[in-house]
Amino acid sequence: AAAPVAPAPAAPASPYAFGAPTGAVGSSRIETRSLRQLGLAGPMQLRGTSDLQGLLFGIRADEVVTAAKLTIQGATSPALIPELSQVAVTLNDQFVGTVAPDKARPAFGPIEFPMNPVFFADANRLNFRFTGRYAIECNDPLSGLLWSTVSDLSTVQLTLERLPLPRDLARLPEPFFDPRVLREPLNLPVVLPEGAGNDVVRAAAIASSWFAVQADYRGAIFPVSSGVPARGNAVVIAAGPDAVPGLTLPRMDGPTLAVVPNPGDPDGLLLVVGGRNGADAAAAAQALAVGRQALSGEIAMVQAPDMPPRQPYDAPRWVRSDRPVKFGELVDPSELQSYGFAPGTIALPFRTAPDLYTWRDRALPVDVFYRAPPGPITDVAVSRLDAGLNNVYLRSFPLREAEPGWPWNWIARRVRAASLADRSEGQVGLPPYLIFGQNELQLRFDMRPLNRGDCVSIPGDVRASIDPDSTLDLSRGYRFTEMPNLAFFAGSGFPYTRLADFAETAAVLPERPTGSELSAFLTLLGRLSANVGHAATRIAIARPSGIQEVANRDLMLIGAITRQPVLADMLRDRSPLQIDGNRVTLALGDALGGFRNLFIGDDERQQRDQLQATLAAPGAGSGMLLGFQSPLSAKRSVVALTGSSPQGVEAMVAAFRDTDLLPRIQGDLAILSNGRMTSYKVGRNYTVGFIPPWLWPQYYLGARPDTLLLMVLVAALLVGMPGYWLMRRRAARRLRTRT
């Protein structure tokens, strides 16, 4: 049984995009967003060689733009000729207005431009193109005098009118999630009946994780309540016709999906996932996650779909690790093009599990094929292609290699003419220690014109490209690593995401979970599911009293310290951390502890003292993340999301959305206190995965130089002593022969 939870309030509007309508159908509202809120990382820098930049934003399907206004501010170079220079603004390739520079007043704005509502579409691109001249006749596009800046504090103001939408399952995930809103995190309330059992909670986990997969990079939050929210949309998990008080549910003779109106908001909709019991509700949630394509109408009776078991590391959003993967499989080939002498970075995002292991940390190969303008246009002696991984520089490729001497240059030209004359190639290695859960391979052309100056003609339509046949190969790495490692969990959800359907994962909730604990679980699981691109269709739900039933799975414990008594039992033999009431303490050493402290380095001693001080006074509402080996099954892991109070659990879940706090989650213990994250390594390591026997010596001896030195000494004795005995025996025989 679950503790009763209060009804959820209406989801607040997000300040990051034009979404989350709050008015009734036919009503209008005015929303203003800065360019930074719409996705611009900083002031837009326009140069002579990078003269076109823009940003993308969306409009919800249930709203239409009736009026719009752009207010921009920025600055232009004082050297520009006003009559020959401008910044032109377009919306979806439709003209909006221009800004002319003023030598006496380089800073401009705020300047207002009305935008025709007819120009708006589902996805909208707002572009800024810079045209500049500092001399009437001759201009060097690479000159530092050619620049203009558009402030990221410039704003877009829209008047939006709410539209009615039909209630149709075929529209899912709309209107509960609208993919047109590009930068707003999904905030979707989930209604669970009081006393929800494991099957009902599992149905909520499957349904919410599917919505989180749709939201992807935007993120998703799932507040849980026992009553329908007063306004807006929500997901209702129902096990029986009277599961939710005050809500009339449709007749359910089996697993059922339905879209019904919100009784408190005629413009709000409720997605009902239910049936006669919890098993039916779980089957309906699986049908939503796997068989949604066949749904239509306001209500549909469904069946549990046939779900073949997933294979390890085959997540839909993870790069293949059993063969080389072409760049054209990772991104659209159009994204591999570069324009101009100073183009932007070509980014190839890829996701994988971080447990890659190679012989002596050998790099994983990336074969890059690229095309660039020949020598008469670019100075091939200094122009290059730079390659990096996760903002770490790896190496550079020359656009044209130096030709060999005769006759090899004659042979090379003939061979190149017979194949691809304009294509070059190079190889870069990706160090395994730089590969995380979410990665970005970065390629950037850095080209220089062959001749430059004020009166030298430089082509403006210079193009370069990366071939889609270029490959990334992770198949040379083995899947093996040491655990616990909370950085793996924070970055990719490993080891729980090893199977995309979470078939080897179990969530252990308190016997009577509160709404905040259920919300923390659904939000955390949604984040893991979004990483792999698959709903948690095979996850198991357990309570502390039934933990033995899921002993052969990786476990996630969610709940405050005092509400998870099983955590103290599991830590007792697996970690020096111990639970005393609502506090976590670091176990004292044995009788030889004082002697051992003489050999502990200052850094390790200071870290231990800091941890003891933090645990002694953790602060109100502190959160904690612990990782350790499961005492129930070898090679299985446990991650506990806990805290001194339910507020601490919520704060730790929120830290996963904080780009400053997330990288600080490391080791096997992370503590969030007073907005500050600290991580420690206190427990023993264990291994997961497989490496062939010939790699075992490298693994066992790689971090044990003392053992390696001892083995060298033993080997020297084993070789030296018989050799010494043989030499002495031979010398004695020689002396006897002489006598």
Side-chain angles (χ1 to χ4, degrees):
V5 289
S14 170
Y16 299 104
F18 299 103
T22 56
V25 170
S27 63
S28 297
R29 64 188 178 100
I30 298 177
E31 295 286 347
T32 302
R33 300 289 183 265
S34 68
L35 299 189
R36 174 178 287 272
Q37 290 175 322
L38 293 180
L40 197 63
M44 191 177 295
Q45 307 289 336
L46 301 169
R47 296 291 185 266
T49 54
S50 55
D51 58 348
L52 178 64
Q53 296 186 42
L55 55 89
L56 192 68
F57 64 93
I59 304 296
R60 289 179 58 97
D62 56 355
E63 291 188 316
V64 63
V65 179
T66 58
K69 180 177 64 175
L70 171 67
T71 304
I72 65 173
Q73 53 186 318
T76 57
S77 170
L80 297 178
I81 301 175
E83 295 78 10
L84 303 176
S85 306
Q86 66 177 13
V87 176
V89 185
T90 61
L91 175 67
N92 297 330
D93 297 327
Q94 301 292 328
F95 176 76
V96 173
T98 60
V99 177
D102 185 350
K103 288 189 175 183
R105 190 169 175 263
F108 64 83
I111 303 175
E112 294 185 358
F113 296 102
M115 294 187 289
N116 193 330
V118 178
F119 296 167
F120 285 87
D122 292 343
N124 306 277
R125 179 167 290 280
L126 184 65
N127 279 343
F128 298 83
R129 182 181 290 276
F130 170 62
T131 303
R133 297 182 71 87
Y134 59 84
I136 296 178
E137 295 185 358
C138 300
N139 290 266
D140 179 7
L142 300 177
S143 172
L145 299 176
L146 294 177
W147 62 267
S148 180
T149 301
V150 177
S151 173
D152 55 339
L153 300 179
S154 304
T155 61
V156 175
Q157 184 183 90
L158 300 184
T159 301
L160 302 164
E161 183 172 330
R162 186 84 178 269
L163 299 175
L165 287 179
R167 298 198 299 268
D168 190 352
L169 291 169
R171 295 184 60 89
L172 291 174
E174 299 176 9
F176 307 95
F177 165 71
D178 195 323
R180 299 168 185 83
V181 181
L182 302 179
R183 301 190 179 276
E184 178 182 357
L186 173 64
N187 192 319
L188 182 60
V190 177
V191 180
L192 282 174
E194 295 184 9
N198 290 342
D199 285 337
V200 176
V201 175
R202 181 167 174 262
I206 297 172
S208 60
S209 64
W210 179 76
F211 276 104
V213 170
Q214 311 309 308
D216 194 9
Y217 63 89
R218 303 168 183 84
I221 305 169
F222 301 100
V224 175
S225 66
S226 61
V228 177
R231 297 186 61 84
N233 305 323
V235 175
V236 177
I237 310 298
D242 302 322
V244 182
L247 178 62
T248 301
L249 295 172
R251 178 183 176 89
M252 295 181 290
D253 296 325
T256 303
L257 295 171
V259 179
V260 301
N262 186 336
D265 180 8
D267 300 322
L269 296 179
L270 304 177
L271 174 63
V272 178
V273 180
R276 297 160 298 183
N277 48 45
D280 280 354
Q286 289 179 330
L288 172 69
V290 178
R292 176 184 58 89
Q293 294 78 5
L295 298 176
S296 63
E298 296 186 19
I299 184 171
M301 183 176 292
V302 296
Q303 294 181 348
D306 182 19
M307 299 183 299
R310 308 287 306 196
Q311 298 301 313
Y313 306 100
D314 72 341
R317 287 181 181 158
W318 282 7
V319 65
R320 296 286 296 268
S321 57
D322 57 348
R323 61 169 176 81
V325 177
K326 295 181 179 180
F327 286 6
E329 300 177 54
L330 300 177
V331 297
D332 190 271
S334 62
E335 299 181 31
L336 300 175
Q337 310 294 317
S338 288
Y339 303 92
F341 282 102
T345 301
I346 297 175
L348 291 99
F350 66 94
R351 301 179 184 181
T352 187
D355 59 334
L356 286 167
Y357 188 90
T358 61
W359 165 252
R360 297 176 63 88
D361 284 333
R362 294 284 176 85
L364 300 166
V366 176
D367 293 316
V368 182
F369 303 101
Y370 54 96
R371 291 176 169 86
I377 298 176
T378 58
D379 186 353
V380 296
V382 296
S383 299
R384 65 184 190 272
L385 172 64
D386 298 327
L389 176 66
N390 298 328
N391 297 318
V392 177
Y393 170 80
L394 297 178
R395 65 164 299 182
S396 296
F397 307 110
L399 295 191
R400 285 291 184 272
E401 297 181 359
E403 283 199 355
W406 191 89
W408 307 114
N409 59 348
W410 181 86
I411 298 174
R413 282 195 295 270
R414 296 299 183 274
V415 173
R416 190 180 300 124
S419 56
L420 295 174
D422 61 340
R423 191 172 86 163
S424 301
E425 62 179 286
Q427 187 177 84
V428 60
L430 305 183
Y433 55 82
L434 286 181
I435 297 179
F436 312 117
Q438 301 186 36
N439 308 274
E440 188 175 77
L441 178 63
Q442 296 141 342
L443 300 168
R444 182 180 181 274
F445 285 98
D446 187 359
M447 298 182 290
R448 296 292 183 267
L450 185 62
N451 299 296
R452 59 169 293 187
D454 286 347
C455 290
V456 176
S457 176
I458 298 177
D461 58 346
V462 176
R463 298 189 180 188
S465 66
I466 306 295
D467 225 19
D469 290 336
S470 304
T471 58
L472 165 69
D473 188 2
L474 302 184
S475 61
R476 300 187 184 182
Y478 297 96
R479 294 296 184 174
F480 178 82
T481 190
E482 284 190 353
M483 297 291 286
N485 190 334
L486 293 178
F488 287 0
F489 178 78
S492 65
F494 185 83
Y496 304 95
T497 50
R498 178 175 170 271
L499 289 174
D501 56 1
F502 294 81
E504 296 181 354
T505 297
V508 182
L509 302 174
E511 296 290 350
R512 297 175 58 83
T514 64
S516 63
E517 290 168 335
L518 290 169
S519 177
F521 162 57
L522 297 183
T523 301
L524 177 62
L525 182 63
R527 177 181 176 84
L528 304 186
S529 300
N531 186 280
V532 297
H534 193 281
T537 52
R538 293 184 183 272
I539 191 171
I541 307 296
R543 309 297 166 96
S545 58
I547 197 171
Q548 290 296 333
E549 299 176 4
V550 292
N552 61 336
R553 293 177 176 240
D554 295 309
L555 305 179
M556 286 194 299
L557 274 69
I558 293 95
I561 294 175
T562 55
R563 297 177 53 77
Q564 282 285 14
V566 70
L567 180 59
D569 298 333
M570 300 182 78
L571 284 174
R572 186 168 294 115
D573 298 326
R574 293 295 178 178
S575 173
L577 298 174
Q578 302 298 317
I579 294 180
D580 181 13
N582 64 343
R583 294 177 53 196
V584 178
T585 61
L586 186 63
L588 298 177
D590 52 21
L592 296 178
F595 176 75
R596 292 195 183 100
N597 288 342
L598 298 176
F599 301 95
I600 297 178
D602 291 339
D603 293 341
E604 186 176 349
R605 186 182 298 110
Q606 290 176 3
Q607 186 185 52
R608 184 192 60 187
D609 295 341
Q610 179 185 358
L611 174 57
Q612 288 179 328
T614 302
L615 294 176
S622 62
M624 189 175 298
L625 196 67
L626 297 91
F628 53 94
Q629 186 178 17
S630 173
L632 306 178
S633 179
K635 303 298 183 180
R636 291 298 182 185
S637 302
V638 178
V639 170
L641 178 69
T642 184
S644 58
S645 64
Q647 292 75 20
V649 176
E650 294 178 358
M652 182 57 76
V653 173
F656 282 87
R657 303 190 299 271
D658 192 312
T659 55
D660 294 328
L661 295 178
L662 185 63
R664 301 180 183 274
I665 300 178
Q666 300 177 12
D668 59 0
L669 171 64
I671 301 176
L672 178 62
S673 179
N674 299 320
R676 182 170 177 264
M677 184 78 70
T678 54
S679 297
Y680 306 91
K681 183 71 177 72
V682 297
R684 299 189 299 267
N685 284 350
Y686 60 97
T687 62
V688 295
F690 166 81
I691 53 175
W694 58 271
L695 280 178
W696 292 349
Q698 172 187 303
Y699 167 71
Y700 285 111
L701 299 178
R704 300 172 177 83
D706 51 346
T707 304
L708 182 61
L709 178 60
L710 179 61
M711 292 180 64
V712 170
L713 293 176
V714 171
L717 290 175
L718 293 177
V719 174
M721 292 180 64
Y724 176 77
W725 178 78
L726 290 174
M727 296 297 292
R728 289 293 301 267
R729 184 176 180 183
R730 182 174 181 181
R733 187 185 302 114
R734 184 173 61 251
L735 292 175
R736 285 196 301 270
T737 303
R738 290 180 179 178
T739 57

